[in-house]
Amino acid sequence: MLLSVRRDDALQGLCNPGLFIWKSGHTVDNWYQAEAFSRDMKWFLDGPSLGLTLPPDLQSAVSAIRYLAQQLQEQEDYDALKEDWQYVAMVVDRLFLWTFIIFTTLGTLAIFLDASFNLPPDVPFP
């Protein structure tokens, strides 16, 4: 599902920026942040002074989900970086290809044009 949204809304936290792609085709980098939990969730995870906390099973589940989300975000960042470097490599490869074509064409033309100045002598054996 691709939707466009105002960038300001996503950056201010009015919507989840990971679900949207801007008109330029880019999403907000590093949209997952463990610190961005709601106040109530932090209250349960950190444990209020009244002794009300999540059960240990749920705390470990939340911790595991947080770890998985972080790992998925790191993998997406790595894949994006890899794609960027592949694009750079393709551009450099294309640049070297055209440089090679130009130099080999000019060299070949120089050799053939230089050969036209090597005329046989009028008298072959003086």
Side-chain angles (χ1 to χ4, degrees):
M1 176 166 103
L2 299 177
L3 300 173
S4 62
V5 68
R6 286 186 24 208
R7 185 180 178 100
D8 297 336
D9 291 343
L11 292 176
Q12 292 174 359
L14 298 177
C15 59
N16 185 354
L19 298 177
F20 298 97
I21 294 181
W22 313 123
K23 293 186 181 193
S24 65
H26 293 44
T27 60
V28 174
D29 294 331
N30 300 326
W31 61 269
Y32 171 76
Q33 296 172 359
E35 302 85 35
F37 278 123
S38 69
R39 186 181 53 166
D40 295 334
M41 183 61 94
K42 279 188 175 184
W43 187 67
F44 276 117
L45 291 175
D46 297 338
S49 60
L50 300 176
L52 297 174
T53 60
L54 287 176
D57 293 341
L58 286 179
Q59 285 181 348
S60 66
V62 169
S63 175
I65 291 171
R66 190 183 296 169
Y67 174 78
L68 287 174
Q70 181 182 5
Q71 292 301 317
L72 287 174
Q73 184 62 39
E74 288 176 5
Q75 182 66 37
E76 288 177 7
D77 292 344
Y78 173 79
D79 291 341
L81 185 65
K82 182 179 173 184
E83 288 176 8
D84 290 344
W85 278 109
Q86 285 177 341
Y87 181 73
V88 168
M90 183 182 66
V91 169
V92 170
D93 187 52
R94 185 76 44 94
L95 177 70
F96 283 132
L97 172 69
W98 282 107
T99 304
F100 173 77
I101 289 173
I102 289 171
F103 278 113
T104 55
T105 303
L106 291 177
T108 304
L109 288 175
I111 291 171
F112 285 142
L113 291 177
D114 187 42
S116 67
F117 294 118
N118 294 330
L119 298 175
D122 293 334
V123 180
F125 301 104

